[in-house]
Every structure is written in C-alpha cells, then in structure tokens.
Amino acid sequence: MLADTPTPPYYVVIFSSQRSEVDAGYAATAARMLELAAEQPGFLGVESAREALGITVSYWSDLEAIRRWKAQMEHQEAQRLGREAWYSRYRVRIARVEREYGFDGQA
C-alpha cells in the first residue's frame, strides 16, 4: 500500500537491507516497529517491500521527528538486534522530498 503523504516538503528515511540467516523474533519486532513508528509525532507513513533486498521507506514531517524516532528506546533495541542478528548489511538514507506526483488509476 502506498503511503498517503502531504504536500511537500517532508522527509524520507530509506532503509535498504540484506537479511542474515537468523529469523528468530524478526517478524514480531518488525511489526512492533511499524506500530510504534505510527505513534511517533511527525510520522507520515511507510512503504515496505522485501525479497532478496528489503526496502522500507518511512515519511516524516521534519528532521527532529526522525531524530526522536532514532533515539526511541524500543527502536534502539531493535537496531541493536538488527546489527547483531538479523541483517548482514544495511544502509540508511535520509532526504528531503521537494516534489511529488503520481497516478491513482481511473476515476
């Protein structure tokens, strides 16, 4: 499902990852992180896909909201577990969205 984002500008966090062989606890933690992110002030939405490469794109109102999310205690624990067990590699990219357009099908 595509996130329903506001008129730009807003910010995006792109989390690209490759999983390790470890799976224990991953799905439950990923679901909890989506639930928790949605409760954070400044959270605008999320889009995610996973095959050989996982990509999660989260949308935020401003850089301070992103900083608060990164510092959130449960999220910090999930980050630690990701580094120690679930991911063989990942990248986080943060950018400002200046323009958005799209197509929503036939009216």
Side-chain angles (χ1 to χ4, degrees):
M1 175 153 46
L2 296 179
D4 186 20
T5 49
T7 302
Y10 53 86
Y11 288 83
V12 60
V13 176
I14 305 163
F15 179 72
S16 304
S17 62
Q18 291 179 321
R19 291 283 314 277
S20 70
E21 298 297 319
V22 177
D23 200 45
Y26 179 80
T29 301
R32 175 63 181 148
M33 290 304 102
L34 288 175
E35 177 183 284
L36 191 59
E39 297 172 359
Q40 302 307 303
F43 177 80
L44 302 174
V46 67
E47 298 164 348
S48 188
R50 172 155 295 284
E51 298 243 352
L53 173 69
I55 299 176
T56 299
V57 181
S58 59
Y59 301 96
W60 301 86
S61 59
D62 53 55
L63 291 172
E64 183 56 33
I66 294 169
R67 278 191 274 281
R68 284 191 307 266
W69 171 237
K70 181 173 176 45
Q72 201 281 343
M73 292 303 290
E74 274 187 77
H75 185 215
Q76 284 189 345
E77 176 64 8
Q79 291 170 61
R80 183 188 66 76
L81 290 169
R83 286 188 301 273
E84 291 178 5
W86 298 319
Y87 300 113
S88 59
R89 53 189 313 224
Y90 68 82
R91 294 289 182 273
V92 177
R93 297 169 176 99
I94 300 171
R96 180 179 157 126
V97 176
E98 297 289 341
R99 190 170 72 133
E100 174 186 323
Y101 60 91
F103 173 72
D104 290 324
Q106 301 296 324

